[in-house]
Amino acid sequence: MTETPAHTALWPAPHASGAVTATVHVPGSKSVTNRALVLAALAAEPGWLRRPLRSRDTLLMAGALRAMGVGIEETVSSSSAVAGGGNGTGEAWRVIPSGLHGPATVDVGNAGTVMRFLPPVAALADGPIHFDGDPRSYERPLHGVIDALRVLGARIDDTRGSAGALPLTVHGCGALEGGRVEIDASSSSQFVSALLLSGPGFNQGVEVRHVGGALPSMPHIRMTVDMLRSVGAQVDTPEAGGEPNVWRVAPGALLGRDLTVEPDLSNAQPFLAAALITGGTVTIPDWPAHTTQPGDALREIFTEMGGSCELTEQGLVFTGSGSVHGIDVDLSEVGELTPGIAAVAALADSPSTLRGVAHLRLHETDRLAALTKEINELGGDVTETADGLHIRPRRLHGGIFHTYDDHRMATAGAIIGLAVDGVQIENVATTAKTLPDFPELWTGMLGN
C-alpha cells in the first residue's frame, strides 16, 4: 500500500474533553541554537553547545557550517540528560572552528536564520559558497544582507534568480573589509543580526545603520547583541546610549564558550494556550527568569486574555480561568507569536485586534492571509488590516486547517482543535522545522 505523503496527510487535532493539566518539557530555542552555532564557528577556540534544539532549521545550520569546514561533534550524556531536567535531551554539540572554505553548497531549506546569517560567514570563507533552498525561500527578502555585503566588500552572484534573492553564490576570499553600511531592515530584523554576528571577523568590524521604517522583532536583535557580548565581542547599541538605529561591532577574536540553550519560549505557546482555553494548568520547566526571547511576552499577553502565571522552582506555571478574553495588542516586537494568539482570539468572548505585524506577510508563508483564510473556513470572522488582523469570535466548526508548510500555522490549528471537534491539520509534520515531535508532545499533554 502506498503511504500518503507527509505534506498532504491529515492529522486529526485532538479535542480536549476537559481542563488540561500537564508538565511539558519544551525543546531548546531555535533562535539561540542557530546564533550560538554561528558564533562558535567564528570563534578562536572550540566551544560547547548543550541541550541544543535538533530540528530542521538547526540541522540545516549545522550542516551548512560543516560544509564550510567547521567541525561539529555530537555527543549524548546520560548524566547530563538527568541534570538537564528534560529540556529535550542530554545532547551536546562540540563546535571546532577551522579555516572556512569552499567550494560548498548550502541548503537553507526555508530557514530565515540560515539564509540570512550565513552569507556574511561565507564572505569570510576561502572559495565560493552556493546557497539554495525550498521554493518559498526564493520569495523571502534577502536584499538587505546581499546589498550590505557588497558595500562591505563582498562579491556575490545573484543572477540565477531574482536579484536580491536566492539562489546565490558568495565568492569568499578569506576576509572582508567591513566598515559602515546603511540598510533597510524593516522587513526583517535578521538583516541586522546577520551583519552583527559576523562583524567581529571583518577587518574594520561593522557599523550597521537602519534607515527604513519601524524595526520588527527587536528582542531578536537584543538576543544577538547579548550573545555577541557573552563571547567577548565589543558591541555599541542604541540602548547603551548610542545613536538611534545604529549598532557597532568592533573587530576581534571571539571566545569559545560552554552554553546551555534555554527552552524555546515561543514554542511553549501552544501548550500555554491549552491551559488558557480549557481552564487548566500547564507547567513549562526551566523557564528563564531573565531572557531576550520574544516568547517571554506570553506571560503578559495570555494573562491579559484570561489566565494567570507564576514563575516557580518547577518552572512557569500557567493556569486558565475558564474564560478567554479578546485583546488589542501591538505585536511588532513579537510577531512570531501572532498565529497562536490569533487562534486563541478566535475562541475568545470578545473581539481582538492584533497590530504591528505587516512583516508577517513575508514569513514562511503570508501568515496574515493564511490565518484569515483558515479560521474563516472553520466559520470564523477574521479580516486583514494594513498591519495585522481583526478577529470577531464566532462559533467554529470542524474542517481541514491548511498549514502552507508553516510550523506556526500547524500549531495554531492544533490550538483551535482543542476546543473545536473535527479539525484536521494538513501536514502537521511541518512542525519539525522548530518543534520536533510536536504531535507526540501534544497528545502526551492531553494524556492520550
Side-chain angles (χ1 to χ4, degrees), residues 253-409:
L254 299 180
L255 306 172
R257 64 166 298 192
D258 193 320
L259 172 71
T260 299
V261 178
E262 299 172 352
D264 193 312
L265 307 188
S266 294
N267 278 341
Q269 182 182 38
F271 306 102
L272 300 181
L276 178 59
I277 65 179
T278 68
T281 297
V282 168
T283 300
I284 309 292
D286 303 318
W287 193 288
H290 305 285
T291 181
T292 52
Q293 288 194 59
D296 196 44
L298 288 167
R299 291 195 286 168
E300 178 180 349
I301 293 169
F302 277 175
T303 295
E304 187 174 343
M305 296 186 80
S308 62
C309 65
E310 182 182 6
L311 203 54
T312 71
E313 291 184 358
Q314 288 71 43
L316 182 72
V317 180
F318 188 89
T319 303
S321 63
S323 298
V324 181
H325 311 311
I327 191 171
D328 186 328
V329 62
D330 184 339
L331 298 176
S332 57
E333 292 206 347
V334 293
E336 66 193 48
L337 304 179
T338 302
I341 294 170
V344 172
L347 303 169
D349 57 14
S350 58
S352 294
T353 300
L354 313 184
R355 296 179 283 105
V357 287
H359 61 285
L360 293 190
R361 295 187 171 100
L362 302 171
H363 276 222
E364 281 81 347
T365 188
D366 179 341
R367 285 179 171 166
L368 300 185
L371 286 164
T372 300
K373 179 177 182 294
E374 297 309 313
I375 294 174
N376 286 351
E377 289 193 352
L378 299 182
D381 185 359
V382 182
T383 54
E384 284 192 59
T385 65
D387 71 339
L389 299 172
H390 186 61
I391 302 167
R392 290 162 292 274
R394 296 287 185 269
R395 184 177 180 85
L396 302 182
H397 55 73
I400 297 174
F401 195 95
H402 299 91
T403 62
Y404 310 91
D405 295 322
D406 186 332
H407 56 128
R408 300 208 191 278
M409 286 296 296

Side-chain angles (χ1 to χ4, degrees), residues 27 158 162 246 284:
D158 59 348
S162 301
V246 177
I284 309 292

Side-chain angles (χ1 to χ4, degrees), residues 46-286:
W48 286 92
L49 195 56
R50 301 190 189 276
R51 285 156 55 182
L53 173 67
R54 283 185 61 90
S55 71
R56 187 184 186 216
D57 279 17
T58 60
L59 293 176
L60 285 168
M61 179 67 84
L65 292 170
R66 286 190 179 109
M68 287 189 268
V70 177
I72 302 177
E73 300 174 351
E74 302 182 31
T75 63
V76 177
S77 165
S78 57
S79 60
S80 64
V82 174
N87 176 19
T89 69
E91 185 170 0
W93 292 351
R94 186 169 186 253
V95 183
I96 305 168
S98 61
L100 298 165
H101 60 79
T105 297
V106 168
D107 176 12
V108 309
N110 192 18
T113 51
V114 181
M115 71 179 71
R116 292 165 184 152
F117 291 178
L118 289 189
V121 176
L124 297 171
D126 185 6
I129 310 294
H130 181 66
F131 290 83
D132 208 338
D134 297 352
R136 172 63 179 173
S137 71
Y138 295 4
E139 303 171 15
R140 299 186 67 182
L142 193 56
H143 54 86
V145 175
I146 296 172
D147 295 346
L149 286 175
R150 284 180 172 141
V151 170
L152 298 173
R155 185 162 71 91
I156 300 175
D157 178 6
D158 59 348
T159 58
R160 283 185 54 193
S162 301
L166 291 171
L168 60 86
T169 300
V170 179
H171 296 275
C173 56
L176 192 68
E177 190 58 25
R180 174 176 169 171
V181 66
E182 294 185 347
I183 64 170
D184 179 354
S186 56
S187 60
S188 176
S189 68
Q190 289 176 352
F191 295 168
V192 175
S193 288
L195 298 169
L196 299 184
L197 287 167
S198 292
F202 301 164
N203 293 342
Q204 297 181 35
V206 71
E207 177 183 300
V208 181
R209 292 177 170 266
H210 167 62
V211 295
L215 260 176
S217 305
M218 279 297 296
H220 278 128
I221 296 179
R222 289 193 283 270
M223 177 186 293
T224 297
V225 169
D226 284 356
M227 294 184 69
L228 275 162
R229 287 172 173 162
S230 75
V231 294
Q234 180 182 331
V235 188
D236 295 328
T237 69
E239 294 90 347
E243 297 178 61
N245 292 327
V246 177
W247 294 262
R248 297 183 181 89
V249 179
L254 299 180
L255 306 172
R257 64 166 298 192
D258 193 320
L259 172 71
T260 299
V261 178
E262 299 172 352
D264 193 312
L265 307 188
S266 294
N267 278 341
Q269 182 182 38
F271 306 102
L272 300 181
L276 178 59
I277 65 179
T278 68
T281 297
V282 168
T283 300
I284 309 292
D286 303 318

